[in-house]
Amino acid sequence: DRTTCWLLGDQLNPDLDALDAADEVLLIEAHGFADRKPYHAHKLTLVFSAMRHFRDDLRDRGHDVTYVQAESFGEGLDEFFAGRAAEANDGEDDDGPRLRLMRPASHGAGERLRGLVAERGGTLELVDNELFWTTPADWREWAGDEGTEIGADGAAERTYRQEHWYRHVRRETGVLMDDGEPVGGEWNYDDLNQETPPEDWEPPGRPTFEPDELTRETHAWVCDRFDTWGNDALDGFAWPVTRAEAREALDRFVRDGLSAFGRYEDAMVGGEPFLSHSLLSPAINLGLLDPREPVRAVERAYEERGVEPGAYDPDDHGDAGGTVTSLSEFGGDAADGEDGATGGRAAGGNEPGPVPLNAVEGFVRQVIGWREFMRHVYREAMPELAEANQLEQDRELPPAYWDGETDMRCLSEAVGHVREFGYAHHIERLMVLSNFALVYGADPADVNEWFHLGFVDAYHWVTTPNVVAMGSFGTDVLSSKPYASSGSYVNRMSDHCADCPYAVSRTTGDGACPFNALYWDFLKENEETLRGTGRMGLMYSHVDKKDDEEWAAIRERADRVRELAADGDL
Ligand code: FAD
């Protein structure tokens, strides 16, 4: 009996065990979803180009690949089944086709696809998705069997905390562990990871992967076929579309970006969309990289080039990845006892920089902490998660999210990055884009859709918990308080406020930073839900100090800001 391994567009990895046991591979390029909404042109180009490259790569590796382009999975399966029926008539195969699929990350998709296959007379076996490090069984072992439901009021029956999960996964996988204890003695170095770079610091630069003929063709077809949003020119598109390019992107990050990753992880700098971020989420989410790979690679870099937490200050050495000759000058102790600066490849004659533990720990936390955590919280909290709205916010996103036109420097920068690259880094997503939407009062489901359309790394399983739960506080399933802040956070972590026509020092009156009045108004409006959450005590002690006159001025400014924003005049 022939077994067909069906791989989805976010399962593009040639080294899967699931492929070993298969006689042939099925890929269905379904277009309908992109007909219905204006996705970023780069997102569609990335997904479809990566699928087409993967098809060619598999064929080069000797796999028998059926590649179907269709409106929907149903239509794609019709075409595949018609082909198999013709073969069966030749006497080759009497039973219906047997397909095997790694369980899709999207809620309910496995069962839906199994139904589609069954309706056509075939069988679909669902197997564990190898492209996550932890399995649903691992999660149950940690969380127990009860699961959680989100009530109509947005409150979760059970809540989960990333920090606990993260430590559990570190213990189970042995990543950055030393005899059952965390390497370096601490689980968390976040306090070292909140700096902003000095003006003369040069970020390592984005690795760019020049679009080849197939990507160019795909992009031309995308622009012709779909209504898209954002930058529809190919310049600016530099994402890895093959596994080889993705591995190169990882190498480049480990060599050039990792040294300063921790220290500047939360920083925002005008004109610098990428800083020292890895830019790997598009490749990991497509399956081009297995999440174990970046984690193991930074662990290896730590063994070769590791220094103590905070021991490396990139400001002292010009550009990151600059010439560093000996670790001893940083007082570091490389784990292998050798000169760590010799590890990795040389960059244009420069050796890669040392790797402080806070950078490595910070990166590992993102992948095995946050990424795996979000996946399981999503599994547990769907389908209610997608609609959760405990604060009952219902405003439409202001037009600035679509056209980037606003005098608010932080918001125009962040939206500009999304429009241009389909990317903004974590702090722009959390503390500008979703923070503004939160204090403005936007409907979490609308915000979720906006992130889906705009970001090249957006997939329902990862965008939804990040946007609805973390960014919009639609539910308390993964955090006990909202990520809401006034302009002072942006001021502390960026250079935007100095160049902004709005005054971050003022809360009320014309010209005051819009974040400020919105923030206080948000706290006041949502007092009933938020005051009791325990961790908001300090914030509400400030709320309590304001008198009626102050509140009237705050309300007036917040109303005015909302009006200006809704009219596209902010
Ligand atoms: P780095 O800063 O270099 O981090 C390394 C890796 O860690 C990332 O590549 C990613 O794989 C992983 N990671 C870090 N944080 C998270 C997280 N919270 N959830 C999942 N993975 C994480 N991530 C997506 O992949 N797709 C999304 O659609 C998405 N939407 C988001 C929306 C909001 C409102 C917020 C606050 C976060 C969102 N994130 C999303 C998480 C995170 O912002 C991105 O993964 C990260 O910015 C990707 O850029 P990078 O690869 O340069 O990340």
Side-chain angles (χ1 to χ4, degrees), residues 376-395:
H376 293 297
V377 169
Y378 170 83
R379 289 193 311 100
E380 294 284 6
M382 280 297 287
E384 300 91 354
L385 176 67
E387 298 302 324
N389 188 359
Q390 65 175 344
L391 304 177
E392 298 179 1
Q393 310 231 68
D394 59 6
R395 291 194 173 81

Side-chain angles (χ1 to χ4, degrees), residues 396-414:
E396 257 181 50
L397 272 178
Y401 278 73
W402 301 99
D403 58 25
E405 307 252 325
T406 166
D407 290 340
M408 286 180 75
R409 192 59 207 274
C410 53
L411 192 57
S412 72
E413 275 268 335

